[in-house]
Every structure is written in C-alpha cells, then in structure tokens.
Amino acid sequence: AVVSTQSTGERVIKDIDEGGCVDSYMQDQLIILMGLASGVPQVRSGPLPLHTKTAIHLLESLTTAQFTVTKDPNPAPGEQSYVIECRGIALENAYLTQSNSCPNNIA
C-alpha cells in the first residue's frame, strides 16, 4: 500500500510539474463536465493521455460540443502544457427549472 500511495503521489506531482492543474486521471472526467456546460470552459493540462483524447472524441461524436486543444502560449520554464477549451452544449436540468418538482408528481 505504501508503494502504491507513493507512486500515485509521484504521478500527481509529475502532472502538475508538466503544467496541468489536475492529474491526468481527472482530465477525462472534466472533459465530460466541460462538454455539458454552457459558455466556454477551459482547463490547463500537461500532455494529453489517450483517455483524455478519447473522452474529447466521444463527446464531440455524441453531442454538439466542440473542443480545441492548444499549446499553452505562456508555459512556465520546463512545462509542456496545453489549454483545453470547449464550447459546451449548455445542458439544463428541466426538473430544476420547474420549481424543483418531479414530472407527474413522482417523488
């Protein structure tokens, strides 16, 4: 367990040292939320792992969300960072806009 915890911590530090604001395992989770959001959310990351690229591809294939990935124009020395930006689909929860009631009075 100690080795596992240590290697996990080292991976998080590596991701942040490369310029990301979250670790590579959190990136693909943020992609989903960015695709559903309104506006143009952005996140800075290190090099994109395959699971992040896959999440972007799936969201663009299944929705009208549009992602752009650009090299960070002002990285800190030694960083290889990117900015992931998305024009999300602005999904809204219809049940929250109806006075927090469920359809057909189902509780």
Side-chain angles (χ1 to χ4, degrees):
V2 173
V3 173
S4 176
T5 304
Q6 182 177 1
S7 64
T8 301
E10 289 170 353
R11 282 194 304 258
V12 171
I13 290 169
K14 178 182 175 285
D15 290 336
I16 292 172
D17 284 345
E18 288 177 342
C21 61
V22 296
D23 74 329
S24 62
Y25 293 99
M26 180 57 107
Q27 284 177 15
D28 60 339
Q29 303 301 308
L30 290 176
I31 295 302
I32 296 167
L33 298 174
M34 290 170 68
L36 298 176
S38 62
V40 184
Q42 297 179 336
V43 66
R44 201 175 95 170
S45 73
L48 274 62
L50 182 58
H51 52 93
T52 299
K53 292 176 184 178
T54 302
I56 290 171
H57 176 74
L58 284 173
L59 260 295
E60 287 182 331
S61 297
L62 298 173
T63 70
T64 57
Q66 298 173 337
F67 288 86
T68 56
V69 178
T70 55
K71 205 166 181 73
D72 189 347
N74 301 311
E79 289 184 351
Q80 182 182 356
S81 58
Y82 298 84
V83 176
I84 305 170
E85 185 175 271
C86 177
R87 179 172 296 133
I89 65 170
L91 182 69
E92 291 185 20
N93 185 337
Y95 301 116
L96 292 179
T97 60
Q98 296 176 4
S99 302
N100 293 328
S101 64
C102 292
N104 302 323
N105 296 323
I106 298 173

